[in-house]
Amino acid sequence: MVVGARCAGAPTAMLLARRGHRVLLCDRAAFPSEPVSTGAFQRPGVRYLQRWGLLERLVATGVPPVREVVMSFGRSASSVVLPPDEWLYAPRRKVLDQLLVDAAVEAGAEFRERTALVGFEQAEDRARDRGLRAVRLRGPDGAEVVERARLVIGADGRRSTVARLLGVSVSRSFPMRGHGAYAHYAELPVAGYEFYGPGGLSAASGVPTRSGAWIMLHPTNDGLTCVTTAGRRKATSPLARLDKTVAQIPAVRDRIGAARRVGRVVGCDMEPLLYRPAYGLGWALVGDASFHQGPLSGLGMSHAFRDADRLSAAVASWLEGEVTYGAALSGYEADRERVSYPIYETITTGVRARMLGPLGRRKASAIEERRQALVRTWAAGINTERVTEDRDGE
């Protein structure tokens, strides 16, 4: 059973179902719907969609490719034109999430929307029951049903219900400060991913070092442009936050002012970074439920895709009798740590660098270089990782 049908849960269900395993995918939300997310992701995310045969479907939704990355902070400005095999994408999340759910259902997974996990029932005889968990679910009509699953996978975000009900504690965390807002605009042409700010950036994670304000623009579905703002001082409303940040950055103030806002302004506070253990007896966590890194790295969705890919392979190897449960899931957790910790270290070091002056910024720069090298290696190796094969399962 997979709880949570967003960018970690639906691919996990899809990949296990493609191998012939029975999977129940459920989410408390209705679909299509849009979570708090700008939808922008980097090269590893694109490579996973290619690997799973879903990139062409995404392109068919009309999301434009990101062909250029522009950065302009104070006197520093740069632009990089991406070759076609490195184009990026930033779809609306309601589009991407529905695409992933549809792919899971096509593979054979059962999907229940507007269905919430409400509890677990204790197995009467765990030895006889082979670790089966009795899971209580509440459907859209309010009625509760009990399902049994050999494994429950929590793909339900940083406030994971699976983790809460099972008592899985946070093993590592780091507080973050800052407030942001984003909205979508029509008649606002953009080159690709565009970043602007009135002052300099630290080398790590794009953490503002002077005014604390920055803006990102990127194209998305329906001919719209997403404008994301971030700053240190909290305004009275998401709209006030957005307007206040835009007013500080002349490079894009007039462009945004001339555009037409479509839909509401969404506010988002910087939540603490956190780690939880990745698995236990009868459960595993993926995506933000396992490692929440926030928006600064731009790798959150890519990492969720990676978790889905690696966990589904680990679970399949256990279900198909290749390795023990402990060996399969401990390998998944170690693999998660290998890639995720440099991201965590980059963000936390970048935040601390604001207080440490030049020495801290040099340290942050060195860590950021290592992180970028890891991401390049990660993206390059995706297509050569072990590919799951379709087969009959249990």
mmCIF file with all atom_site columns, all heavy atoms in Angstrom, residues 245-271:
data_model
loop_
_atom_site.group_PDB
_atom_site.id
_atom_site.type_symbol
_atom_site.label_atom_id
_atom_site.label_alt_id
_atom_site.label_comp_id
_atom_site.label_asym_id
_atom_site.label_entity_id
_atom_site.label_seq_id
_atom_site.pdbx_PDB_ins_code
_atom_site.Cartn_x
_atom_site.Cartn_y
_atom_site.Cartn_z
_atom_site.occupancy
_atom_site.B_iso_or_equiv
_atom_site.pdbx_formal_charge
_atom_site.auth_seq_id
_atom_site.auth_comp_id
_atom_site.auth_asym_id
_atom_site.auth_atom_id
_atom_site.pdbx_PDB_model_num
ATOM 1   N N   . THR A 1 245 ? 8.291  42.239 -2.340  1.00 0.00 ? 245 THR A N   1
ATOM 2   C CA  . THR A 1 245 ? 9.536  41.749 -2.932  1.00 0.00 ? 245 THR A CA  1
ATOM 3   C C   . THR A 1 245 ? 9.704  42.258 -4.350  1.00 0.00 ? 245 THR A C   1
ATOM 4   O O   . THR A 1 245 ? 10.796 42.689 -4.744  1.00 0.00 ? 245 THR A O   1
ATOM 5   C CB  . THR A 1 245 ? 9.565  40.209 -2.915  1.00 0.00 ? 245 THR A CB  1
ATOM 6   O OG1 . THR A 1 245 ? 9.373  39.744 -1.578  1.00 0.00 ? 245 THR A OG1 1
ATOM 7   C CG2 . THR A 1 245 ? 10.900 39.697 -3.427  1.00 0.00 ? 245 THR A CG2 1
ATOM 8   N N   . VAL A 1 246 ? 8.653  42.222 -5.135  1.00 0.00 ? 246 VAL A N   1
ATOM 9   C CA  . VAL A 1 246 ? 8.730  42.720 -6.509  1.00 0.00 ? 246 VAL A CA  1
ATOM 10  C C   . VAL A 1 246 ? 9.149  44.179 -6.525  1.00 0.00 ? 246 VAL A C   1
ATOM 11  O O   . VAL A 1 246 ? 9.955  44.609 -7.368  1.00 0.00 ? 246 VAL A O   1
ATOM 12  C CB  . VAL A 1 246 ? 7.375  42.526 -7.221  1.00 0.00 ? 246 VAL A CB  1
ATOM 13  C CG1 . VAL A 1 246 ? 7.349  43.271 -8.553  1.00 0.00 ? 246 VAL A CG1 1
ATOM 14  C CG2 . VAL A 1 246 ? 7.098  41.044 -7.444  1.00 0.00 ? 246 VAL A CG2 1
ATOM 15  N N   . ALA A 1 247 ? 8.644  44.974 -5.591  1.00 0.00 ? 247 ALA A N   1
ATOM 16  C CA  . ALA A 1 247 ? 8.970  46.400 -5.554  1.00 0.00 ? 247 ALA A CA  1
ATOM 17  C C   . ALA A 1 247 ? 10.447 46.658 -5.296  1.00 0.00 ? 247 ALA A C   1
ATOM 18  O O   . ALA A 1 247 ? 10.982 47.711 -5.671  1.00 0.00 ? 247 ALA A O   1
ATOM 19  C CB  . ALA A 1 247 ? 8.128  47.084 -4.482  1.00 0.00 ? 247 ALA A CB  1
ATOM 20  N N   . GLN A 1 248 ? 11.150 45.684 -4.687  1.00 0.00 ? 248 GLN A N   1
ATOM 21  C CA  . GLN A 1 248 ? 12.573 45.864 -4.370  1.00 0.00 ? 248 GLN A CA  1
ATOM 22  C C   . GLN A 1 248 ? 13.492 45.558 -5.544  1.00 0.00 ? 248 GLN A C   1
ATOM 23  O O   . GLN A 1 248 ? 14.694 45.818 -5.456  1.00 0.00 ? 248 GLN A O   1
ATOM 24  C CB  . GLN A 1 248 ? 12.967 44.941 -3.214  1.00 0.00 ? 248 GLN A CB  1
ATOM 25  C CG  . GLN A 1 248 ? 12.284 45.247 -1.900  1.00 0.00 ? 248 GLN A CG  1
ATOM 26  C CD  . GLN A 1 248 ? 12.732 44.268 -0.824  1.00 0.00 ? 248 GLN A CD  1
ATOM 27  O OE1 . GLN A 1 248 ? 13.916 44.168 -0.487  1.00 0.00 ? 248 GLN A OE1 1
ATOM 28  N NE2 . GLN A 1 248 ? 11.790 43.514 -0.286  1.00 0.00 ? 248 GLN A NE2 1
ATOM 29  N N   . ILE A 1 249 ? 12.941 44.986 -6.621  1.00 0.00 ? 249 ILE A N   1
ATOM 30  C CA  . ILE A 1 249 ? 13.798 44.491 -7.704  1.00 0.00 ? 249 ILE A CA  1
ATOM 31  C C   . ILE A 1 249 ? 13.397 45.141 -9.023  1.00 0.00 ? 249 ILE A C   1
ATOM 32  O O   . ILE A 1 249 ? 12.530 44.632 -9.751  1.00 0.00 ? 249 ILE A O   1
ATOM 33  C CB  . ILE A 1 249 ? 13.727 42.953 -7.779  1.00 0.00 ? 249 ILE A CB  1
ATOM 34  C CG1 . ILE A 1 249 ? 14.098 42.365 -6.397  1.00 0.00 ? 249 ILE A CG1 1
ATOM 35  C CG2 . ILE A 1 249 ? 14.664 42.413 -8.851  1.00 0.00 ? 249 ILE A CG2 1
ATOM 36  C CD1 . ILE A 1 249 ? 14.014 40.872 -6.302  1.00 0.00 ? 249 ILE A CD1 1
ATOM 37  N N   . PRO A 1 250 ? 14.019 46.292 -9.353  1.00 0.00 ? 250 PRO A N   1
ATOM 38  C CA  . PRO A 1 250 ? 13.636 47.031 -10.561 1.00 0.00 ? 250 PRO A CA  1
ATOM 39  C C   . PRO A 1 250 ? 13.771 46.232 -11.849 1.00 0.00 ? 250 PRO A C   1
ATOM 40  O O   . PRO A 1 250 ? 13.047 46.492 -12.812 1.00 0.00 ? 250 PRO A O   1
ATOM 41  C CB  . PRO A 1 250 ? 14.604 48.225 -10.550 1.00 0.00 ? 250 PRO A CB  1
ATOM 42  C CG  . PRO A 1 250 ? 15.022 48.369 -9.121  1.00 0.00 ? 250 PRO A CG  1
ATOM 43  C CD  . PRO A 1 250 ? 15.047 46.986 -8.568  1.00 0.00 ? 250 PRO A CD  1
ATOM 44  N N   . ALA A 1 251 ? 14.678 45.237 -11.872 1.00 0.00 ? 251 ALA A N   1
ATOM 45  C CA  . ALA A 1 251 ? 14.934 44.498 -13.108 1.00 0.00 ? 251 ALA A CA  1
ATOM 46  C C   . ALA A 1 251 ? 13.683 43.804 -13.639 1.00 0.00 ? 251 ALA A C   1
ATOM 47  O O   . ALA A 1 251 ? 13.553 43.587 -14.855 1.00 0.00 ? 251 ALA A O   1
ATOM 48  C CB  . ALA A 1 251 ? 16.033 43.466 -12.884 1.00 0.00 ? 251 ALA A CB  1
ATOM 49  N N   . VAL A 1 252 ? 12.753 43.456 -12.766 1.00 0.00 ? 252 VAL A N   1
ATOM 50  C CA  . VAL A 1 252 ? 11.537 42.771 -13.219 1.00 0.00 ? 252 VAL A CA  1
ATOM 51  C C   . VAL A 1 252 ? 10.255 43.443 -12.743 1.00 0.00 ? 252 VAL A C   1
ATOM 52  O O   . VAL A 1 252 ? 9.162  43.003 -13.094 1.00 0.00 ? 252 VAL A O   1
ATOM 53  C CB  . VAL A 1 252 ? 11.528 41.298 -12.748 1.00 0.00 ? 252 VAL A CB  1
ATOM 54  C CG1 . VAL A 1 252 ? 12.572 40.485 -13.483 1.00 0.00 ? 252 VAL A CG1 1
ATOM 55  C CG2 . VAL A 1 252 ? 11.732 41.206 -11.242 1.00 0.00 ? 252 VAL A CG2 1
ATOM 56  N N   . ARG A 1 253 ? 10.394 44.518 -11.975 1.00 0.00 ? 253 ARG A N   1
ATOM 57  C CA  . ARG A 1 253 ? 9.214  45.172 -11.390 1.00 0.00 ? 253 ARG A CA  1
ATOM 58  C C   . ARG A 1 253 ? 8.216  45.618 -12.461 1.00 0.00 ? 253 ARG A C   1
ATOM 59  O O   . ARG A 1 253 ? 7.021  45.338 -12.380 1.00 0.00 ? 253 ARG A O   1
ATOM 60  C CB  . ARG A 1 253 ? 9.669  46.371 -10.555 1.00 0.00 ? 253 ARG A CB  1
ATOM 61  C CG  . ARG A 1 253 ? 8.549  47.105 -9.837  1.00 0.00 ? 253 ARG A CG  1
ATOM 62  C CD  . ARG A 1 253 ? 9.150  48.191 -8.966  1.00 0.00 ? 253 ARG A CD  1
ATOM 63  N NE  . ARG A 1 253 ? 9.992  49.078 -9.759  1.00 0.00 ? 253 ARG A NE  1
ATOM 64  C CZ  . ARG A 1 253 ? 11.039 49.762 -9.264  1.00 0.00 ? 253 ARG A CZ  1
ATOM 65  N NH1 . ARG A 1 253 ? 11.382 49.617 -7.997  1.00 0.00 ? 253 ARG A NH1 1
ATOM 66  N NH2 . ARG A 1 253 ? 11.746 50.558 -10.034 1.00 0.00 ? 253 ARG A NH2 1
ATOM 67  N N   . ASP A 1 254 ? 8.707  46.293 -13.484 1.00 0.00 ? 254 ASP A N   1
ATOM 68  C CA  . ASP A 1 254 ? 7.803  46.804 -14.522 1.00 0.00 ? 254 ASP A CA  1
ATOM 69  C C   . ASP A 1 254 ? 7.208  45.677 -15.359 1.00 0.00 ? 254 ASP A C   1
ATOM 70  O O   . ASP A 1 254 ? 6.030  45.724 -15.747 1.00 0.00 ? 254 ASP A O   1
ATOM 71  C CB  . ASP A 1 254 ? 8.549  47.791 -15.424 1.00 0.00 ? 254 ASP A CB  1
ATOM 72  C CG  . ASP A 1 254 ? 8.951  49.065 -14.684 1.00 0.00 ? 254 ASP A CG  1
ATOM 73  O OD1 . ASP A 1 254 ? 8.351  49.326 -13.613 1.00 0.00 ? 254 ASP A OD1 1
ATOM 74  O OD2 . ASP A 1 254 ? 9.851  49.773 -15.167 1.00 0.00 ? 254 ASP A OD2 1
ATOM 75  N N   . ARG A 1 255 ? 8.012  44.625 -15.659 1.00 0.00 ? 255 ARG A N   1
ATOM 76  C CA  . ARG A 1 255 ? 7.493  43.487 -16.433 1.00 0.00 ? 255 ARG A CA  1
ATOM 77  C C   . ARG A 1 255 ? 6.348  42.809 -15.710 1.00 0.00 ? 255 ARG A C   1
ATOM 78  O O   . ARG A 1 255 ? 5.312  42.496 -16.294 1.00 0.00 ? 255 ARG A O   1
ATOM 79  C CB  . ARG A 1 255 ? 8.600  42.466 -16.691 1.00 0.00 ? 255 ARG A CB  1
ATOM 80  C CG  . ARG A 1 255 ? 9.609  42.858 -17.744 1.00 0.00 ? 255 ARG A CG  1
ATOM 81  C CD  . ARG A 1 255 ? 10.785 41.880 -17.739 1.00 0.00 ? 255 ARG A CD  1
ATOM 82  N NE  . ARG A 1 255 ? 10.362 40.517 -18.025 1.00 0.00 ? 255 ARG A NE  1
ATOM 83  C CZ  . ARG A 1 255 ? 11.133 39.444 -17.807 1.00 0.00 ? 255 ARG A CZ  1
ATOM 84  N NH1 . ARG A 1 255 ? 12.346 39.582 -17.289 1.00 0.00 ? 255 ARG A NH1 1
ATOM 85  N NH2 . ARG A 1 255 ? 10.690 38.237 -18.105 1.00 0.00 ? 255 ARG A NH2 1
ATOM 86  N N   . ILE A 1 256 ? 6.537  42.565 -14.424 1.00 0.00 ? 256 ILE A N   1
ATOM 87  C CA  . ILE A 1 256 ? 5.495  41.894 -13.652 1.00 0.00 ? 256 ILE A CA  1
ATOM 88  C C   . ILE A 1 256 ? 4.289  42.808 -13.481 1.00 0.00 ? 256 ILE A C   1
ATOM 89  O O   . ILE A 1 256 ? 3.130  42.370 -13.558 1.00 0.00 ? 256 ILE A O   1
ATOM 90  C CB  . ILE A 1 256 ? 6.057  41.430 -12.293 1.00 0.00 ? 256 ILE A CB  1
ATOM 91  C CG1 . ILE A 1 256 ? 7.142  40.368 -12.516 1.00 0.00 ? 256 ILE A CG1 1
ATOM 92  C CG2 . ILE A 1 256 ? 4.939  40.879 -11.410 1.00 0.00 ? 256 ILE A CG2 1
ATOM 93  C CD1 . ILE A 1 256 ? 7.871  39.959 -11.258 1.00 0.00 ? 256 ILE A CD1 1
ATOM 94  N N   . GLY A 1 257 ? 4.534  44.097 -13.285 1.00 0.00 ? 257 GLY A N   1
ATOM 95  C CA  . GLY A 1 257 ? 3.439  45.044 -13.119 1.00 0.00 ? 257 GLY A CA  1
ATOM 96  C C   . GLY A 1 257 ? 2.556  45.155 -14.347 1.00 0.00 ? 257 GLY A C   1
ATOM 97  O O   . GLY A 1 257 ? 1.354  45.439 -14.242 1.00 0.00 ? 257 GLY A O   1
ATOM 98  N N   . ALA A 1 258 ? 3.121  44.929 -15.523 1.00 0.00 ? 258 ALA A N   1
ATOM 99  C CA  . ALA A 1 258 ? 2.354  45.024 -16.769 1.00 0.00 ? 258 ALA A CA  1
ATOM 100 C C   . ALA A 1 258 ? 1.614  43.731 -17.096 1.00 0.00 ? 258 ALA A C   1
ATOM 101 O O   . ALA A 1 258 ? 0.783  43.708 -18.016 1.00 0.00 ? 258 ALA A O   1
ATOM 102 C CB  . ALA A 1 258 ? 3.281  45.397 -17.921 1.00 0.00 ? 258 ALA A CB  1
ATOM 103 N N   . ALA A 1 259 ? 1.912  42.652 -16.387 1.00 0.00 ? 259 ALA A N   1
ATOM 104 C CA  . ALA A 1 259 ? 1.287  41.360 -16.666 1.00 0.00 ? 259 ALA A CA  1
ATOM 105 C C   . ALA A 1 259 ? -0.038 41.232 -15.915 1.00 0.00 ? 259 ALA A C   1
ATOM 106 O O   . ALA A 1 259 ? -0.372 42.048 -15.052 1.00 0.00 ? 259 ALA A O   1
ATOM 107 C CB  . ALA A 1 259 ? 2.235  40.238 -16.279 1.00 0.00 ? 259 ALA A CB  1
ATOM 108 N N   . ARG A 1 260 ? -0.780 40.187 -16.226 1.00 0.00 ? 260 ARG A N   1
ATOM 109 C CA  . ARG A 1 260 ? -2.090 39.943 -15.612 1.00 0.00 ? 260 ARG A CA  1
ATOM 110 C C   . ARG A 1 260 ? -2.015 38.699 -14.726 1.00 0.00 ? 260 ARG A C   1
ATOM 111 O O   . ARG A 1 260 ? -1.717 37.614 -15.206 1.00 0.00 ? 260 ARG A O   1
ATOM 112 C CB  . ARG A 1 260 ? -3.147 39.762 -16.703 1.00 0.00 ? 260 ARG A CB  1
ATOM 113 C CG  . ARG A 1 260 ? -4.541 39.376 -16.179 1.00 0.00 ? 260 ARG A CG  1
ATOM 114 C CD  . ARG A 1 260 ? -5.563 39.413 -17.302 1.00 0.00 ? 260 ARG A CD  1
ATOM 115 N NE  . ARG A 1 260 ? -5.179 38.556 -18.409 1.00 0.00 ? 260 ARG A NE  1
ATOM 116 C CZ  . ARG A 1 260 ? -5.492 37.263 -18.500 1.00 0.00 ? 260 ARG A CZ  1
ATOM 117 N NH1 . ARG A 1 260 ? -6.184 36.679 -17.509 1.00 0.00 ? 260 ARG A NH1 1
ATOM 118 N NH2 . ARG A 1 260 ? -5.125 36.549 -19.555 1.00 0.00 ? 260 ARG A NH2 1
ATOM 119 N N   . ARG A 1 261 ? -2.281 38.885 -13.446 1.00 0.00 ? 261 ARG A N   1
ATOM 120 C CA  . ARG A 1 261 ? -2.220 37.762 -12.526 1.00 0.00 ? 261 ARG A CA  1
ATOM 121 C C   . ARG A 1 261 ? -3.446 36.868 -12.717 1.00 0.00 ? 261 ARG A C   1
ATOM 122 O O   . ARG A 1 261 ? -4.572 37.352 -12.843 1.00 0.00 ? 261 ARG A O   1
ATOM 123 C CB  . ARG A 1 261 ? -2.138 38.237 -11.081 1.00 0.00 ? 261 ARG A CB  1
ATOM 124 C CG  . ARG A 1 261 ? -1.788 37.115 -10.112 1.00 0.00 ? 261 ARG A CG  1
ATOM 125 C CD  . ARG A 1 261 ? -1.505 37.602 -8.711  1.00 0.00 ? 261 ARG A CD  1
ATOM 126 N NE  . ARG A 1 261 ? -2.712 38.036 -8.043  1.00 0.00 ? 261 ARG A NE  1
ATOM 127 C CZ  . ARG A 1 261 ? -2.963 39.273 -7.683  1.00 0.00 ? 261 ARG A CZ  1
ATOM 128 N NH1 . ARG A 1 261 ? -2.069 40.223 -7.929  1.00 0.00 ? 261 ARG A NH1 1
ATOM 129 N NH2 . ARG A 1 261 ? -4.090 39.588 -7.090  1.00 0.00 ? 261 ARG A NH2 1
ATOM 130 N N   . VAL A 1 262 ? -3.209 35.554 -12.734 1.00 0.00 ? 262 VAL A N   1
ATOM 131 C CA  . VAL A 1 262 ? -4.274 34.576 -12.931 1.00 0.00 ? 262 VAL A CA  1
ATOM 132 C C   . VAL A 1 262 ? -4.349 33.689 -11.690 1.00 0.00 ? 262 VAL A C   1
ATOM 133 O O   . VAL A 1 262 ? -3.375 33.011 -11.346 1.00 0.00 ? 262 VAL A O   1
ATOM 134 C CB  . VAL A 1 262 ? -4.008 33.704 -14.179 1.00 0.00 ? 262 VAL A CB  1
ATOM 135 C CG1 . VAL A 1 262 ? -5.087 32.640 -14.328 1.00 0.00 ? 262 VAL A CG1 1
ATOM 136 C CG2 . VAL A 1 262 ? -3.927 34.573 -15.424 1.00 0.00 ? 262 VAL A CG2 1
ATOM 137 N N   . GLY A 1 263 ? -5.469 33.680 -11.001 1.00 0.00 ? 263 GLY A N   1
ATOM 138 C CA  . GLY A 1 263 ? -5.600 32.857 -9.817  1.00 0.00 ? 263 GLY A CA  1
ATOM 139 C C   . GLY A 1 263 ? -5.080 33.549 -8.573  1.00 0.00 ? 263 GLY A C   1
ATOM 140 O O   . GLY A 1 263 ? -4.698 34.729 -8.583  1.00 0.00 ? 263 GLY A O   1
ATOM 141 N N   . ARG A 1 264 ? -5.010 32.797 -7.511  1.00 0.00 ? 264 ARG A N   1
ATOM 142 C CA  . ARG A 1 264 ? -4.652 33.371 -6.214  1.00 0.00 ? 264 ARG A CA  1
ATOM 143 C C   . ARG A 1 264 ? -3.145 33.427 -6.007  1.00 0.00 ? 264 ARG A C   1
ATOM 144 O O   . ARG A 1 264 ? -2.371 32.758 -6.697  1.00 0.00 ? 264 ARG A O   1
ATOM 145 C CB  . ARG A 1 264 ? -5.287 32.561 -5.085  1.00 0.00 ? 264 ARG A CB  1
ATOM 146 C CG  . ARG A 1 264 ? -4.738 31.149 -4.938  1.00 0.00 ? 264 ARG A CG  1
ATOM 147 C CD  . ARG A 1 264 ? -5.584 30.329 -3.976  1.00 0.00 ? 264 ARG A CD  1
ATOM 148 N NE  . ARG A 1 264 ? -5.041 28.987 -3.781  1.00 0.00 ? 264 ARG A NE  1
ATOM 149 C CZ  . ARG A 1 264 ? -4.337 28.610 -2.718  1.00 0.00 ? 264 ARG A CZ  1
ATOM 150 N NH1 . ARG A 1 264 ? -4.096 29.481 -1.744  1.00 0.00 ? 264 ARG A NH1 1
ATOM 151 N NH2 . ARG A 1 264 ? -3.888 27.377 -2.617  1.00 0.00 ? 264 ARG A NH2 1
ATOM 152 N N   . VAL A 1 265 ? -2.743 34.241 -5.038  1.00 0.00 ? 265 VAL A N   1
ATOM 153 C CA  . VAL A 1 265 ? -1.353 34.281 -4.585  1.00 0.00 ? 265 VAL A CA  1
ATOM 154 C C   . VAL A 1 265 ? -1.208 33.291 -3.427  1.00 0.00 ? 265 VAL A C   1
ATOM 155 O O   . VAL A 1 265 ? -1.994 33.319 -2.479  1.00 0.00 ? 265 VAL A O   1
ATOM 156 C CB  . VAL A 1 265 ? -0.950 35.692 -4.126  1.00 0.00 ? 265 VAL A CB  1
ATOM 157 C CG1 . VAL A 1 265 ? 0.504  35.703 -3.647  1.00 0.00 ? 265 VAL A CG1 1
ATOM 158 C CG2 . VAL A 1 265 ? -1.150 36.698 -5.255  1.00 0.00 ? 265 VAL A CG2 1
ATOM 159 N N   . VAL A 1 266 ? -0.232 32.411 -3.532  1.00 0.00 ? 266 VAL A N   1
ATOM 160 C CA  . VAL A 1 266 ? -0.034 31.355 -2.528  1.00 0.00 ? 266 VAL A CA  1
ATOM 161 C C   . VAL A 1 266 ? 1.144  31.732 -1.638  1.00 0.00 ? 266 VAL A C   1
ATOM 162 O O   . VAL A 1 266 ? 2.239  32.020 -2.127  1.00 0.00 ? 266 VAL A O   1
ATOM 163 C CB  . VAL A 1 266 ? 0.230  29.996 -3.204  1.00 0.00 ? 266 VAL A CB  1
ATOM 164 C CG1 . VAL A 1 266 ? 0.441  28.905 -2.152  1.00 0.00 ? 266 VAL A CG1 1
ATOM 165 C CG2 . VAL A 1 266 ? -0.911 29.631 -4.141  1.00 0.00 ? 266 VAL A CG2 1
ATOM 166 N N   . GLY A 1 267 ? 0.933  31.739 -0.346  1.00 0.00 ? 267 GLY A N   1
ATOM 167 C CA  . GLY A 1 267 ? 2.009  32.019 0.599   1.00 0.00 ? 267 GLY A CA  1
ATOM 168 C C   . GLY A 1 267 ? 2.630  30.735 1.118   1.00 0.00 ? 267 GLY A C   1
ATOM 169 O O   . GLY A 1 267 ? 1.952  29.705 1.239   1.00 0.00 ? 267 GLY A O   1
ATOM 170 N N   . CYS A 1 268 ? 3.926  30.791 1.405   1.00 0.00 ? 268 CYS A N   1
ATOM 171 C CA  . CYS A 1 268 ? 4.608  29.603 1.938   1.00 0.00 ? 268 CYS A CA  1
ATOM 172 C C   . CYS A 1 268 ? 5.765  30.050 2.829   1.00 0.00 ? 268 CYS A C   1
ATOM 173 O O   . CYS A 1 268 ? 6.601  30.848 2.413   1.00 0.00 ? 268 CYS A O   1
ATOM 174 C CB  . CYS A 1 268 ? 5.115  28.704 0.815   1.00 0.00 ? 268 CYS A CB  1
ATOM 175 S SG  . CYS A 1 268 ? 5.925  29.563 -0.554  1.00 0.00 ? 268 CYS A SG  1
ATOM 176 N N   . ASP A 1 269 ? 5.782  29.546 4.041   1.00 0.00 ? 269 ASP A N   1
ATOM 177 C CA  . ASP A 1 269 ? 6.872  29.816 4.972   1.00 0.00 ? 269 ASP A CA  1
ATOM 178 C C   . ASP A 1 269 ? 7.953  28.758 4.821   1.00 0.00 ? 269 ASP A C   1
ATOM 179 O O   . ASP A 1 269 ? 7.682  27.627 4.424   1.00 0.00 ? 269 ASP A O   1
ATOM 180 C CB  . ASP A 1 269 ? 6.367  29.821 6.413   1.00 0.00 ? 269 ASP A CB  1
ATOM 181 C CG  . ASP A 1 269 ? 5.387  30.952 6.681   1.00 0.00 ? 269 ASP A CG  1
ATOM 182 O OD1 . ASP A 1 269 ? 5.392  31.926 5.898   1.00 0.00 ? 269 ASP A OD1 1
ATOM 183 O OD2 . ASP A 1 269 ? 4.620  30.853 7.651   1.00 0.00 ? 269 ASP A OD2 1
ATOM 184 N N   . MET A 1 270 ? 9.179  29.135 5.152   1.00 0.00 ? 270 MET A N   1
ATOM 185 C CA  . MET A 1 270 ? 10.270 28.169 5.152   1.00 0.00 ? 270 MET A CA  1
ATOM 186 C C   . MET A 1 270 ? 10.104 27.208 6.329   1.00 0.00 ? 270 MET A C   1
ATOM 187 O O   . MET A 1 270 ? 10.137 27.616 7.479   1.00 0.00 ? 270 MET A O   1
ATOM 188 C CB  . MET A 1 270 ? 11.625 28.886 5.268   1.00 0.00 ? 270 MET A CB  1
ATOM 189 C CG  . MET A 1 270 ? 12.027 29.646 4.036   1.00 0.00 ? 270 MET A CG  1
ATOM 190 S SD  . MET A 1 270 ? 12.485 28.540 2.702   1.00 0.00 ? 270 MET A SD  1
ATOM 191 C CE  . MET A 1 270 ? 13.096 29.742 1.505   1.00 0.00 ? 270 MET A CE  1
ATOM 192 N N   . GLU A 1 271 ? 9.871  25.948 6.014   1.00 0.00 ? 271 GLU A N   1
ATOM 193 C CA  . GLU A 1 271 ? 9.721  24.932 7.054   1.00 0.00 ? 271 GLU A CA  1
ATOM 194 C C   . GLU A 1 271 ? 11.081 24.338 7.397   1.00 0.00 ? 271 GLU A C   1
ATOM 195 O O   . GLU A 1 271 ? 12.010 24.352 6.579   1.00 0.00 ? 271 GLU A O   1
ATOM 196 C CB  . GLU A 1 271 ? 8.797  23.818 6.550   1.00 0.00 ? 271 GLU A CB  1
ATOM 197 C CG  . GLU A 1 271 ? 7.414  24.287 6.132   1.00 0.00 ? 271 GLU A CG  1
ATOM 198 C CD  . GLU A 1 271 ? 6.501  24.497 7.325   1.00 0.00 ? 271 GLU A CD  1
ATOM 199 O OE1 . GLU A 1 271 ? 6.971  24.314 8.474   1.00 0.00 ? 271 GLU A OE1 1
ATOM 200 O OE2 . GLU A 1 271 ? 5.325  24.833 7.111   1.00 0.00 ? 271 GLU A OE2 1
#
